[in-house]
Amino acid sequence: MEENTVRILLVASAFNSLTQRVHTELRERGHRVGVELALGDDLLRARVAQFGPDLILAPMLTSAIPEDIWSRHPVLIVHPGPKGDRGPSSLDWAIREDAPEWGVTVLQAVAEMDAGPIWASEPFRVTRCGKSELYRNEVSDAAVRAVLLAVDRFADSSFMPEPLDYDRPDVRGQLRPYHSQEYRRIDWSTDDTATVLRRLRAADSQPGVLDEILGRQYFLHGGHYEDRLRGYPGTIIATRDGAVCRATVDGAVWLPQLRPRRKPGGPATFKRPAADVLGPDLLAGVPEVPVTPFEASGRDTWSELRYYEQGEVGYLEFAFSGGAMSTDQCQRLLAAYRQACERPVNVLVLGAARDFFSNGIHLNVIEAAADPAEESWRNINAMNDLVEAILTTTDKLVISALAGNAAAGGVMLALAADEVWCRESAVLNPHYRLMGLHGSEYWTYTLPRRVGGDLADRLTRETLPVGARAAGEIGLVDRVAPGSAAEFRDWVCQEAAELASGSELADRLVAKKQRRAADEAAKPLAAYRDYELTQMRQNFYGANEPYHQLRRNFVHKVRPQVTPTHLLV
């Protein structure tokens, strides 16, 4: 083993956001990193023998690693709980109990689950949000700090991990049971809004809260406070942009997504916008209660869109569940963007204050459509309309601020702006091929313009995640800033204000208009769009295209038989 360089095999149940971030962070530090999905003990044994790791690291694992592996190789497990915490539902309990602080612990695999020697532990403040959002932000940040510390300690052969000892004052965790539906149940006739929100947030995005609505059983996904609407506890009192509002004993909450309970022997179900799942018959007589992005910014209510201004800077925030953007969501965002462009501001900042920027088209909504190919076509055209509007804005400086991850068309949406600012912890996946798509959103114009044709081809062909720092080094993004989501937002506001008041802004806008005109003269945007959509139409409507099966596998969470080849590097 070279000095300070470790050969690390990541073993994970899925190549999820945390695994991708750990993958990029370790590679950026010069470690040799391989990936193996936990798809079977024999497959894992074969991969370990083939890769020959110095260290096996499990960032996200829902099954045990065989004893014959951890007894021969050092295996470190990333557990989303403080020292001494044990069990499969750590974050669920933290949110249910409204814990102000939690932690991530890296411990060595032993026979007893989560009881091995401790290599590192990092605390974090628990933001009041859904479990998946907490996982992608505070948990991920703490996990990376703990993993990097543990790997450094592993490289230093003199370090001895700390045995788990509940007599130590800093070991405050405990063994907790699986957080089953018994603990998640909501009593709408007695539970107050705060209790309901904790139940909902602890189950987001999986497994959801099993509940009954109008005589039918559904899993509830996501929960947001409502500041004004009131009604009889348990009833659906309003809809908004696909979400439904349900009254509590002392207020109301918004439910963005539902998943029907699977019937015995029936097909698998998946999350969709709540109003789409319930349908017009069950929601007959329930009013649609809209809120404008400007109104939403001053209220404590659910809205996917918010708009506000600070001086000469406008902020258009969009936060879509899972980062996916349906046709309707793209159209609503486009309308809000056009309204923002009419405002007397010089700089316009796009992106959520925390969590996802965008992951492109909404595969779940497409899967549920009567004609998935036709809905795919509508969705990609709606994305293109939005990107085109940004690309052709010449009287404002537009900034994409990525507080969280982006993928596929969501990356290309960000690249439509004049500048891309990225939080250091964000992970980008600038490719489409894993879904069997050529891709659109004008990427054949914006991506080579930023990184050059050869690198654009490599990024889309290799289909590996790119960390924010690496993205900055290759020019995929313009600026990278460290810190939490809140610290990143403060930095964005400060830098945007300086741009808006700077003496060079007028010259930049003139240069922007000139460059857009020159680019249009050389090759019209319509030519890029036509070329891309010709390829996409074939992907959507052509015979023997892999897209539809790959989409079904993604939506229904079909596990691959073996680790995909693009991860075997």
Side-chain angles (χ1 to χ4, degrees):
M1 182 172 64
E2 297 181 16
E3 185 179 1
N4 298 323
T5 299
V6 183
R7 192 175 179 86
I8 303 171
L9 179 63
L10 300 184
V11 178
S13 296
F15 199 52
N16 71 340
S17 61
L18 177 57
T19 306
Q20 290 184 32
R21 184 166 172 206
V22 169
H23 181 269
T24 61
E25 295 277 357
L26 292 173
R27 282 166 59 98
E28 286 177 7
R29 285 161 176 78
H31 299 296
R32 173 69 186 277
V33 183
V35 178
E36 177 69 15
L37 300 185
L39 301 173
D41 291 350
D42 288 340
L43 289 173
L44 179 56
R45 291 184 181 102
R47 178 67 164 143
V48 169
Q50 180 269 330
F51 188 77
D54 303 315
L55 173 67
I56 298 172
L57 179 65
M60 192 284 289
L61 198 60
T62 58
S63 58
I65 289 181
E67 181 178 1
D68 60 293
I69 292 179
W70 59 253
S71 62
R72 298 176 185 173
H73 303 269
V75 176
L76 300 186
I77 309 293
V78 179
H79 177 74
K83 289 183 180 181
D85 181 84
R86 299 172 59 199
S89 305
S90 181
L91 291 180
D92 309 61
W93 286 107
I95 296 171
R96 174 190 170 91
E97 296 176 359
D98 202 20
E101 184 178 281
W102 209 241
V104 175
T105 303
V106 178
L107 45 86
Q108 192 159 341
V110 295
E112 194 172 359
M113 193 71 72
D114 302 330
I118 297 168
W119 284 77
S121 187
E122 288 286 332
F124 63 86
R125 299 293 298 175
V126 180
T127 299
R128 288 179 172 173
C129 62
K131 178 176 62 175
S132 56
E133 180 180 330
L134 184 70
Y135 183 84
R136 288 187 294 267
N137 287 273
E138 286 80 3
V139 175
S140 178
D141 290 347
V144 167
R145 294 195 303 270
V147 164
L148 295 179
L149 178 58
V151 170
D152 286 347
R153 287 172 169 173
F154 176 80
D156 177 4
S157 58
S158 65
F159 178 80
M160 295 295 294
E162 170 192 316
L164 178 60
D165 181 0
Y166 284 99
D167 291 331
R168 291 175 60 102
D170 62 336
V171 179
R172 298 187 297 271
Q174 59 182 282
L175 176 62
R176 298 172 184 270
Y178 171 67
H179 204 276
S180 65
Q181 291 294 333
E182 171 190 356
Y183 301 105
R184 303 184 191 279
R185 188 174 300 116
I186 295 173
D187 187 336
W188 295 92
S189 65
T190 60
D191 290 338
D192 62 13
T193 302
T195 300
V196 171
L197 283 174
R198 287 198 299 272
R199 298 283 198 275
L200 292 169
R201 288 169 175 170
D204 178 50
S205 64
Q206 292 294 336
V209 173
L210 182 60
D211 198 22
E212 185 174 292
I213 299 177
L214 302 173
R216 304 182 187 181
Q217 289 192 317
Y218 303 91
F219 290 93
L220 317 181
H221 294 274
H224 301 265
Y225 184 77
E226 163 57 30
D227 57 359
R228 296 180 183 175
L229 299 175
R230 300 293 183 267
Y232 186 80
T235 59
I236 304 295
I237 57 176
T239 63
R240 177 183 298 155
D241 296 337
V244 298
C245 187
R246 196 169 186 186
T248 65
V249 294
D250 62 346
V253 297
W254 285 95
L255 306 173
Q257 295 182 310
L258 300 178
R259 176 169 57 94
R261 187 177 190 181
R262 184 176 185 175
K263 297 178 180 178
T269 61
F270 50 91
K271 292 180 290 184
R272 287 189 289 144
D276 291 355
V277 173
L278 294 176
D281 292 341
L282 289 180
L283 293 175
V286 177
E288 175 81 3
V289 181
V291 63
T292 68
F294 183 79
E295 292 169 341
S297 67
R299 289 183 52 190
D300 192 359
T301 186
W302 179 82
S303 178
E304 293 173 321
L305 304 176
R306 282 178 159 77
Y307 178 79
Y308 60 94
E309 294 173 1
Q310 293 180 356
E312 296 181 353
V313 182
Y315 294 85
L316 178 54
E317 297 182 354
F318 46 94
F320 302 112
S321 297
M325 298 169 60
S326 68
T327 302
D328 290 345
Q329 289 168 323
C330 291
Q331 292 171 344
R332 288 196 294 270
L333 179 53
L334 175 58
Y337 179 80
R338 287 174 171 162
Q339 290 172 358
C341 285
E342 295 175 358
R343 297 292 301 165
V345 294
N346 296 322
V347 176
L348 188 57
V349 177
L350 309 179
R354 47 185 283 130
D355 211 18
F356 286 120
F357 184 81
S358 170
N359 285 327
I361 61 176
H362 202 311
L363 299 178
N364 283 33
V365 170
I366 291 169
E367 179 68 13
D371 187 338
E374 186 64 22
E375 182 55 35
S376 300
W377 184 250
R378 291 182 65 241
N379 201 164
I380 199 63
N381 273 282
M383 283 287 294
N384 279 343
D385 291 343
L386 174 61
V387 173
E388 181 184 15
I390 299 171
L391 286 170
T392 55
T393 299
T394 57
D395 61 342
K396 301 185 192 304
L397 193 69
V398 183
I399 298 166
S400 292
L402 279 65
N405 301 343
V411 175
M412 308 315 165
L413 172 62
L415 299 189
D418 301 298
E419 293 193 16
V420 181
W421 298 354
C422 199
R423 187 160 79 97
E424 194 175 51
S425 61
V427 174
L428 310 181
N429 279 277
H431 51 78
Y432 301 84
R433 295 190 181 185
L434 296 181
M435 201 51 60
L437 296 174
H438 171 271
S440 193
E441 293 98 359
Y442 298 88
W443 78 264
T444 55
Y445 169 61
T446 57
L447 188 59
R449 184 176 63 166
R450 279 189 162 269
V451 302
D454 291 343
L455 186 51
D457 178 68
R458 183 166 67 82
L459 288 171
T460 55
R461 177 169 36 83
E462 290 184 353
T463 62
L464 287 174
V466 181
R469 287 186 296 272
E473 290 172 359
I474 63 176
L476 185 61
V477 306
D478 298 287
R479 304 179 68 180
V480 178
S484 66
E487 291 168 333
F488 176 74
R489 198 61 176 182
D490 289 343
W491 175 83
V492 167
C493 292
Q494 178 181 336
E495 296 299 312
E498 290 183 5
L499 275 178
S501 61
S503 59
E504 71 278 6
L505 180 63
D507 290 340
R508 289 193 63 177
L509 291 176
V510 170
K512 173 183 180 178
K513 185 174 293 188
Q514 293 173 341
R515 181 179 183 184
R516 176 82 287 279
D519 286 353
E520 187 69 13
K523 182 177 181 180
L525 282 178
Y528 292 97
R529 180 169 180 156
D530 290 345
Y531 168 74
E532 293 170 0
L533 289 182
T534 298
Q535 314 305 312
M536 294 291 277
R537 175 174 281 278
Q538 174 64 27
N539 295 154
F540 294 153
Y541 295 99
N544 303 316
E545 289 285 329
Y547 160 69
H548 292 292
Q549 187 60 53
L550 291 171
R551 185 195 67 247
R552 293 187 196 101
N553 291 348
F554 175 85
V555 170
H556 294 286
K557 296 179 170 56
V558 176
R559 286 163 58 88
Q561 296 298 308
V562 296
T563 300
T565 55
H566 72 280
L567 298 179
L568 301 177
V569 296

